[in-house]
Amino acid sequence: MSQGCSKEPDDQNCQDRHEEDNPKSSPFDFVMKQFQGKKCAPEKSKEKPSAIKQFFKGFDFGKSEGKDRREIEETEINNAEADDQSEKQDLSVEDGLSHLPSEAESPSGEQRFNQFMEKLGKKPNSKNLDLNNCALSAADITELASLLPFLPELEEISLSWNGCVGGTLKALTVHLHHVNLLKVLRLNNCRLTAEDVISLGEAFEIVSQLEELDLSWNSNIGGKLSLLTKKLQEGCKLKCLKITDCSLTAKDGESLAEILNVIPNLEVLDVSINKNIGCSMKVIAQDLKNVPGLKELNLHMCGLKQDSLQGLDTALQHLAELRKLDISCNREIGGGFKTSTAHLASLKNLEVLDLHQCCITEEDMTVLSQVIPLLSSLQELNLSSNKNVGLSSDPLLGRLRFLPKLRSVTISNCGLGEESLSSLAEAALHLPELEILDLSWNKCVGGNLKLLLGALKLATEIQVLRLSSCNLVAEDLALLTSLRQDGHLARLQKLDLSYNNNISDEGWAVFCQGLGAFKELSELDVSLRPSSCRDCGLWFRELLAALTQLPALAELGMQRWALSESQRKQMEGFNQDNRRNIRFDC
């Protein structure tokens, strides 16, 4: 039998299949089937006898059969052990799976980010994280930091106007290495501390792609700017740096000058409303030559003086790409233009020049009248609140005709006279792209608006007309409505007629009757002067009727007009009755 063992599995398996189909098989045959079908299984180590071994003790199969019996016993033992081990493993796997958190219990990084943004009422955006003015808490900043690893494509972070960011910035900056594509970081008005400035400086080594940094309105930066600037490395890609109203000191100005050497790609520099930085303006101006690609320079309210202006003018020769220059609200530079405009005329790409409230003198105007008309790319000019300009502005206003690209002319509160207005009116005939004209606080306009009739007819692009406190009379308002009825001022969106107390009720009535023709008008201001109060006459009814014809109107200023009880109710019910949402400023 031992020699036939190798053949028995095949022969016996066939026999087994027949016997399983035979209902007459005896119990002994069944046992023999189990024995014969498994006796050739691979041998394994001996274990404790199973129940099948006890069963076969009652049979004597001879020597060879004893050998086979031992093989069967061992096979059964091994099979039983294997089944038992498999069962244990199955139970172990099932038990382990039962303790694994489900997808709902452990949301993905993307889901967590979406939930975080939804909590703050913001739409998730994996490239632009805009959380401005969201009343963020310190806990929110910590949670945000934990989400940065799931935002590898993030390019912009804006946390401005969240006071609680101050003192917690390090929790965020230590994770910035997860967003190494970051290009924009805005932290306006976040109450940053000295520790935050240090953390931010350390982060510069991580966010090598950063192009825009805005730290405006963080007063604690003052005196500590070096903690940030000393971390900037040569070849920094920064293109835009804004540090408005940060209480910068003269020492900070020197620190700023030093970093101009390592940020050659700088295009925008805004250090406005830092009154003490003017003392170091000479040093800053000397290093502006290191940023030849500068396009915007904002020195509004920086405490500049005449010597500062001289240093700046010298620097302008290196800034051929400059597009915007704002040196407004620096009163002490008045009188300095006569010796500090040699290089201003070389700015052939300059588009915006803001000189408002600089105490410009008549001598300054004489020089500026020669220089400004040479700025062939100029689009916006602001000379407002230079009260000493007066009649000396005549040459300049007349020469604006040489600036055909002008879109905005703002000369409010300049003490202009009739001749000035005539010069402007004549020049405006050659300004086809004019969109904004502000003549507010020039009393000569009242009764003389007709001088601008020709210009206003040709100003097909004009969208903003400001005539506040111009001593306007009824005839001036009638002129405006007649212009519109004749097809002019079709694109006018904002009209400021405030503080013109001399207009009669009849004048307002005529104006309101023609007001409905200004279909594009979105803002209208007819408020009275702060020191006055006047009953709103019968023209109020004409006004409400006109409003129904102005689909774009969103704001109406009527301060210090005293409305009767019935008029007030009509105004309060206007929006509901007409399905509108006009903001009445009364």
Side-chain angles (χ1 to χ4, degrees):
M1 282 185 68
S2 62
Q3 294 178 350
C5 181
S6 61
K7 294 183 179 179
E8 283 182 2
D10 292 336
D11 296 339
Q12 190 64 42
N13 285 341
C14 293
Q15 181 181 351
D16 288 346
R17 283 195 293 272
H18 290 293
E19 289 177 348
E20 286 172 0
D21 294 333
N22 185 359
K24 295 182 181 180
S25 299
S26 67
F28 183 79
D29 293 332
F30 174 77
V31 173
M32 290 301 297
K33 282 193 301 179
Q34 299 298 320
F35 155 68
Q36 293 173 341
K38 298 181 180 180
K39 68 179 180 179
C40 293
E43 290 188 2
K44 295 186 180 178
S45 59
K46 293 183 180 181
E47 301 290 346
K48 185 173 71 174
S50 64
I52 190 83
K53 180 177 180 181
Q54 301 297 327
F55 176 83
F56 279 106
K57 281 185 177 180
F59 299 91
D60 184 8
F61 295 103
K63 187 176 180 180
S64 62
E65 290 178 345
K67 180 181 179 181
D68 290 339
R69 184 168 68 248
R70 286 194 299 271
E71 293 176 352
I72 294 171
E73 290 171 356
E74 292 170 1
T75 300
E76 282 298 323
I77 291 171
N78 292 334
N79 285 344
E81 286 290 324
D83 291 342
D84 184 64
Q85 184 67 24
S86 176
E87 184 174 337
K88 287 181 179 179
Q89 289 177 352
D90 290 342
L91 288 173
S92 177
V93 171
E94 290 177 2
D95 185 66
L97 289 174
S98 68
H99 287 85
L100 286 176
S102 65
E103 184 177 351
E105 293 173 342
S106 179
S108 66
E110 181 180 358
Q111 290 174 324
R112 286 177 54 201
F113 174 65
N114 292 342
Q115 292 170 0
F116 176 74
M117 296 298 285
E118 289 171 4
K119 177 183 70 172
L120 299 173
K122 292 286 186 175
K123 185 177 180 181
N125 187 326
S126 61
K127 289 189 176 182
N128 185 352
L129 185 60
D130 182 2
L131 297 178
N132 292 331
N133 198 23
C134 283
L136 297 179
S137 65
D140 291 328
I141 300 300
T142 302
E143 183 177 359
L144 174 60
S146 71
L147 295 173
L148 291 184
F150 308 108
L151 301 172
E153 297 181 355
L154 192 63
E155 295 181 358
E156 296 187 21
I157 297 180
S158 297
L159 303 178
S160 299
W161 306 98
N162 289 289
C164 286
V165 172
T168 67
L169 198 59
K170 187 171 184 178
L172 189 69
T173 57
V174 294
H175 291 281
L176 287 181
H177 63 279
H178 294 293
V179 288
N180 53 17
L181 297 180
L182 191 67
K183 294 181 179 180
V184 178
L185 180 59
R186 300 188 183 101
L187 299 169
N188 302 352
N189 196 24
C190 287
R191 298 181 184 175
L192 300 184
T193 64
E195 290 74 16
D196 294 325
V197 177
I198 294 173
S199 300
L200 193 57
E202 294 172 348
F204 278 146
E205 301 174 1
I206 302 172
V207 286
S208 58
Q209 303 298 316
L210 195 66
E211 296 181 358
E212 178 180 337
L213 177 62
D214 193 344
L215 302 176
S216 300
W217 295 292
N218 286 289
S219 58
N220 289 330
I221 291 180
K224 308 176 186 68
L225 190 63
S226 62
L227 298 176
L228 177 68
T229 58
K230 66 182 181 182
K231 295 292 185 177
L232 285 174
Q233 300 177 353
E234 190 172 353
C236 176
K237 295 184 179 180
L238 205 61
K239 293 182 179 180
C240 177
L241 178 60
K242 297 183 179 181
I243 325 176
T244 298
D245 196 11
C246 287
S247 301
L248 299 185
T249 64
K251 184 178 179 181
D252 291 326
E254 295 173 2
S255 298
L256 180 62
E258 291 175 1
I259 66 168
L260 294 179
N261 298 315
V262 297
I263 48 177
N265 298 317
L266 193 66
E267 296 180 357
V268 178
L269 177 59
D270 186 347
V271 290
S272 57
I273 319 181
N274 287 288
K275 297 180 180 180
N276 296 320
I277 204 174
C279 299
S280 53
M281 193 61 220
K282 280 187 176 181
V283 179
I284 295 174
Q286 289 174 359
D287 285 309
L288 284 174
K289 64 179 180 293
N290 296 311
V291 286
L294 195 67
K295 295 180 179 179
E296 294 186 21
L297 179 58
N298 193 338
L299 301 173
H300 166 80
M301 201 182 293
C302 281
L304 303 185
K305 299 181 180 180
Q306 290 187 13
D307 58 345
S308 305
L309 192 60
Q310 292 173 357
L312 178 61
D313 182 63
T314 302
L316 292 180
Q317 63 182 316
H318 305 290
L319 305 178
E321 298 299 318
L322 200 63
R323 303 297 200 269
K324 178 179 178 180
L325 177 60
D326 186 347
I327 54 176
S328 60
C329 295
N330 288 289
R331 296 174 178 271
E332 294 187 49
I333 64 176
F337 288 96
K338 58 188 177 184
T339 58
S340 304
T341 57
H343 298 100
L344 178 61
S346 66
L347 301 177
K348 300 302 181 182
N349 293 310
L350 195 67
E351 297 175 354
V352 180
L353 179 60
D354 194 340
L355 302 175
H356 83 268
Q357 207 169 109
C358 285
C359 293
I360 294 175
T361 65
E362 292 187 21
E363 290 181 330
D364 290 332
M365 283 304 301
T366 300
V367 175
L368 291 173
S369 295
Q370 302 296 322
V371 174
I372 291 178
L374 299 177
L375 304 174
S376 56
S377 298
L378 200 64
Q379 297 180 16
E380 299 180 26
L381 176 62
N382 191 341
L383 297 172
S384 295
S385 299
N386 287 293
K387 295 183 179 180
N388 292 328
V389 170
L391 296 178
S392 63
S393 66
D394 288 357
L396 174 60
L397 295 183
R399 291 172 183 170
L400 293 182
R401 68 177 66 195
F402 300 115
L403 301 173
K405 295 183 180 180
L406 270 180
R407 295 188 299 105
S408 175
V409 176
T410 306
I411 47 177
S412 65
N413 195 27
C414 283
L416 303 184
E418 240 180 87
E419 292 184 11
S420 305
L421 189 60
S422 297
S423 296
L424 175 63
E426 185 178 348
L429 295 173
H430 305 277
L431 304 178
E433 298 184 20
L434 191 64
E435 296 178 0
I436 300 173
L437 179 59
D438 189 349
L439 298 174
S440 298
W441 298 89
N442 287 294
K443 307 302 181 184
C444 70
V445 177
N448 290 310
L449 194 60
K450 57 184 179 289
L451 295 175
L452 289 169
L453 181 61
L456 292 175
K457 284 183 178 180
L458 295 176
T460 57
E461 300 297 319
I462 197 161
Q463 298 175 23
V464 179
L465 181 59
R466 301 194 183 280
L467 301 171
S468 177
S469 192
C470 283
N471 277 353
L472 298 183
V473 295
E475 290 76 15
D476 297 321
L477 295 192
L479 177 67
L480 290 176
T481 54
S482 65
L483 278 170
R484 182 65 200 99
Q485 290 168 358
D486 292 340
H488 308 295
L489 303 179
R491 300 190 61 189
L492 193 65
Q493 297 176 11
K494 298 180 181 180
L495 179 59
D496 187 355
L497 302 174
S498 61
Y499 300 179
N500 287 289
N501 289 25
N502 293 336
I503 301 174
S504 63
D505 284 354
E506 291 76 12
W508 285 116
V510 172
F511 172 72
C512 290
Q513 288 170 5
L515 181 60
F518 292 89
K519 300 299 183 183
E520 300 294 322
L521 200 64
S522 60
E523 294 182 19
L524 173 64
D525 196 345
V526 296
S527 300
L528 296 175
R529 293 178 183 276
S531 59
S532 62
C533 183
R534 181 170 156 191
D535 290 337
C536 192
L538 296 176
W539 61 270
F540 179 78
R541 182 171 54 190
E542 302 286 352
L543 175 62
L544 290 183
L547 296 185
T548 62
Q549 305 173 52
L550 300 176
L553 194 72
E555 185 171 345
L556 175 62
M558 289 190 65
Q559 292 184 20
R560 288 166 292 280
W561 282 103
L563 302 179
S564 66
E565 185 64 25
S566 61
Q567 288 174 334
R568 188 167 296 279
K569 287 183 178 179
Q570 291 178 55
M571 179 173 286
E572 291 173 351
F574 179 85
N575 282 333
Q576 183 175 358
D577 295 342
N578 296 276
R579 296 181 180 179
R580 297 289 297 278
N581 190 28
I582 299 176
R583 187 176 79 86
F584 294 101
D585 186 10
C586 300

